[in-house]
């Protein structure tokens, strides 16, 4: 890899919660500042009705929270591999295919990188999870093909992919001094991805590293799933989740599931949904929860509530409890969330992660005692229960924390330089 010239290609880590862009240059950290001097751009679009324009990232969240009228779209990557991708949504009074929504955001990443570089880019290495969709190779391939089509439409003539945990491995390899067998644990907003890779200073400049990748695996569990379980366990009961009907059956859960899932929140605001809820109210024994739900819908506060839950999840990585103030819904209403409640809520998801890591080691034919290092990256990798789960599987390995949001983008920039010069 020539160290004299800047790379011709970008590495783009389009993430569920945050995105980064890497551009390899001599003696410069590869990640480009995308917003307010920060290397991340939250994967958010807000369509501002008053000014009839899309805004992105932190500015999008700011305008939404400031009360501008409009439509907030988040967790855009979760659309890949879902049935929603073939449909459209209404934005600023017009129908917009979900595929074009992805194009708007990735196009913004490209535009900001080109503004930094002072020229256009026609080659890109895109990060991808090991599986966009669990146990469905056809849907997985369709998700990748969608990204290729989006990137081509934006002006990228050459588009290739690298698994996100492999990219993170290449970033980690820049700083090691001896050969290591490393388990990369990448817990992002939408997926958990794992790779077992042999790394060493002598191998880092080789173009072909296929022989060093012992196994890859993953499961469709990530930060947004942790948010959802925390919301259902600790917050949605205040809005009628689990309420009893006069027939002694439980209230249907679809409304709360939609509210607890970023890209389906707007479904609760639909007229048909609200009409069903109003008809249902007469059959509910204790109406306090559903009445709060009506007030939340009236205020269109679903995304605001989801942000409170996400902030709580982040705080609970350090603190033992956190209180959410729901005064805007009902005077005096507060919810206390605890780390214990959170860990109980996500235990089934952690079991899926443990099973995936165990399967990965079996696929590689590697014993737990042979793994030298566990390298954690991704925005949700700091959750104590998750760290503890993986640590228990690999008691002899040392644990290294990467750049939570930057390791993948940096690794993709390295890969882009190798592939395209």
């Amino acid at each position: 890899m020539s160290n004299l010239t800047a790379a011709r290609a970008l590495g783009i880590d389009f993430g569920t919660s945050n995105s980064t862009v890497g551009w390899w240059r001599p003696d410069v950290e590869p990640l480009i500042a995308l917003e307010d001097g920060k290397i991340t751009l939250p994967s958010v679009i807000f369509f501002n009705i008053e000014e009839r324009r899309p805004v992105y990232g932190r500015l999008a969240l700011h305008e939404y929270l400031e009360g501008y009228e409009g439509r907030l779209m988040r967790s855009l990557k979760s659309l890949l591999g879902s049935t929603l991708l073939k449909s459209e949504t209404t934005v600023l009074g017009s129908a917009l295919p979900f595929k074009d929504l992805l194009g708007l955001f990735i196009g913004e990443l490209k535009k900001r990188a080109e503004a930094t570089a002072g020229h256009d880019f026609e080659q890109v290495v895109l990060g991808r999870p090991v599986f966009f969709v669990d146990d469905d190779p056809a849907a997985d391939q369709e998700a990748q093909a969608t990204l290729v089509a989006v990137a081509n439409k934006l002006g990228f003539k050459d588009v290739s992919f690298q698994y996100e945990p492999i990219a993170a491995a290449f970033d980690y390899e820049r700083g090691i001094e001896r050969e290591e067998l490393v388990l990369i644990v990448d817990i992002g907003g939408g997926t958990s991805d794992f790779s077992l890779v042999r790394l060493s200073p002598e191998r880092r400049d080789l173009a072909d590293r296929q022989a060093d990748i012992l196994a890859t695996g993953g499961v469709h569990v990530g930060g947004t799933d942790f948010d959802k379980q925390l919301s259902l366990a600790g917050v949605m009961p205040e809005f009628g989740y689990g309420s009893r009907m006069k027939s002694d059956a439980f209230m249907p859960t679809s409304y709360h599931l939609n509210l607890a899932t970023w890209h389906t929140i707007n479904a609760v605001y639909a007229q048909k949904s609200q009409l069903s809820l109003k008809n249902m109210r007469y059959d509910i024994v204790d109406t306090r929860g559903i009445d709060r739900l009506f007030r939340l819908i009236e205020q269109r506060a679903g995304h605001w509530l989801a942000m409170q839950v996400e902030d709580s999840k982040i705080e609970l990585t350090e603190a033992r409890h956190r209180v959410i103030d729901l005064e805007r819904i009902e005077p005096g209403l507060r919810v206390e969330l605890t780390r214990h409640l959170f860990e109980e809520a996500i235990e089934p998801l952690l079991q899926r992660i443990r099973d995936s890591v165990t399967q990965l080691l079996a696929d590689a034919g590697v014993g737990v005692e042979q793994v030298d290092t566990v390298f954690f990256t991704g925005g949700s990798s700091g959750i104590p229960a998750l760290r503890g789960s993986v640590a228990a599987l690999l008691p002899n390995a040392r644990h290294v924390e990467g750049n939570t949001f930057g390791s993948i983008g940096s690794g993709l920039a390295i890969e882009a330089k190798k592939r395209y010069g």
Side-chain angles (χ1 to χ4, degrees):
M1 184 164 73
S2 168
N3 292 331
L4 300 176
T5 56
R8 295 170 57 226
L10 291 176
I12 293 182
D13 175 24
F14 168 45
T16 303
S17 302
N18 291 278
S19 296
T20 61
V21 180
W23 177 38
W24 193 94
R25 292 149 287 172
D27 304 317
V28 178
E29 278 300 307
L31 291 175
I32 290 171
L34 294 173
E35 185 182 26
D36 298 335
K38 296 180 174 67
I39 59 166
T40 56
L41 185 69
S43 303
V44 183
I45 305 179
F46 178 62
F47 293 92
N48 186 313
I49 286 179
E50 293 168 41
E51 299 181 25
R52 301 201 62 79
R53 62 182 170 83
V55 290
Y56 303 87
R58 292 170 190 82
L59 182 59
L61 290 169
H62 172 74
E63 290 197 3
Y64 171 77
L65 291 172
E66 283 294 302
Y68 285 84
E69 194 177 344
R71 177 91 185 268
L72 186 76
M73 307 292 285
R74 198 169 175 189
S75 295
L76 307 173
K77 189 178 181 181
S78 301
L79 295 166
L80 289 164
S82 79
T83 52
L84 277 177
L85 202 58
K86 293 177 180 172
S87 59
E88 53 189 29
T89 187
T90 303
V91 170
L92 302 180
S94 304
L96 180 73
F98 278 111
K99 194 153 88 170
D100 290 354
L101 195 64
L102 297 179
L104 277 174
F105 187 79
I106 296 171
E108 187 66 18
L109 293 174
K110 181 175 189 279
K111 183 173 130 189
R112 294 186 186 202
E114 288 173 345
T116 296
H119 62 77
D120 294 347
F121 288 95
E122 295 185 343
Q123 290 85 22
V124 66
V125 178
L126 291 169
R128 59 151 292 167
V130 176
F131 301 113
F132 280 110
V133 186
D134 293 343
D135 305 318
D136 190 342
D140 190 85
Q141 203 50 47
E142 188 177 351
Q144 179 168 306
T146 298
L147 272 182
V148 172
V150 166
N152 287 157
K153 194 172 176 182
L154 293 170
F156 286 119
K157 294 178 180 174
D158 297 309
V159 181
S160 60
F161 291 86
Q162 179 58 275
Y163 289 139
E164 288 155 0
I166 299 295
F170 293 156
D171 180 50
Y172 172 63
E173 190 176 43
R174 290 193 294 162
I176 65 173
E177 296 176 356
R178 60 178 180 83
E179 183 175 298
E180 297 179 26
L181 184 58
V182 183
L183 174 68
I184 307 293
V185 177
D186 170 25
I187 315 292
T191 58
S192 295
D193 292 296
F194 316 102
S195 289
L196 193 63
V197 192
R198 197 172 300 286
L199 302 175
S200 74
E202 295 77 27
R203 287 177 164 90
R204 65 170 68 114
D205 289 335
L206 296 176
D208 183 5
R209 298 297 300 277
Q210 207 55 42
D212 293 329
I213 301 168
L214 279 63
T216 54
V219 64
H220 214 272
V221 169
T224 54
D225 301 292
F226 299 141
D227 294 347
K228 180 178 180 177
Q229 295 309 317
L230 179 58
S231 181
L232 291 173
V235 178
M236 288 302 152
E238 299 291 342
F239 294 89
Y241 181 60
S243 292
R244 289 280 186 179
M245 314 281 283
K246 288 172 184 172
S247 64
D248 207 35
F250 287 107
M251 175 183 175
T253 60
S254 59
Y255 308 97
H256 302 98
L257 289 170
N258 281 336
L259 265 182
T261 308
W262 275 105
H263 58 272
T264 56
I265 289 170
N266 282 295
V268 185
Y269 304 148
Q271 201 170 355
K272 185 179 174 185
S273 174
Q274 292 191 53
L275 195 59
S276 297
L277 275 171
K278 281 173 183 166
N279 290 334
M280 194 186 304
R281 186 183 183 280
Y282 299 106
D283 294 323
I284 288 181
V285 178
D286 183 346
T287 60
R288 284 176 298 177
I290 196 170
D291 287 343
R292 288 178 190 134
L293 183 57
F294 287 135
R295 287 195 289 276
L296 182 140
I297 290 169
E298 188 182 325
Q299 292 185 29
R300 292 190 165 238
H303 289 93
W304 170 83
L305 185 61
M307 285 180 206
Q308 303 306 307
V309 173
E310 182 185 30
D311 288 346
S312 298
K313 173 195 71 178
I314 293 165
E315 286 222 6
L316 290 172
T317 63
E318 301 289 340
R320 290 281 168 186
H321 67 95
R322 191 201 192 221
V323 174
I324 299 180
D325 185 344
L326 297 171
E327 185 83 20
R328 68 179 281 182
I329 306 296
E330 180 182 300
L333 183 62
R334 292 154 68 83
V335 175
E336 181 173 353
L337 301 176
T338 65
R339 186 188 290 183
H340 177 70
L341 173 109
F342 176 48
E343 290 178 351
E344 280 200 330
I346 65 171
E347 175 52 33
L349 302 178
L350 296 183
Q351 185 60 53
R352 289 176 62 194
I353 287 170
R354 288 193 294 270
D355 291 345
S356 187
V357 170
T358 301
Q359 185 61 52
L360 178 91
L361 295 171
D363 291 345
V366 167
V368 292
E369 71 286 346
Q370 293 174 266
V371 178
D372 298 306
T373 306
V374 181
F375 180 78
F376 289 99
T377 188
S380 294
S381 64
I383 294 170
L386 188 146
R387 292 274 181 105
S389 274
V390 177
L393 296 176
L394 299 156
N396 297 340
R398 71 189 187 101
H399 300 158
V400 175
E401 187 172 339
N403 181 331
T404 306
F405 296 109
S407 293
I408 293 168
S410 294
L412 291 172
I414 293 166
E415 189 71 0
K417 175 67 173 171
K418 286 180 184 175
R419 291 184 188 181
Y420 299 111

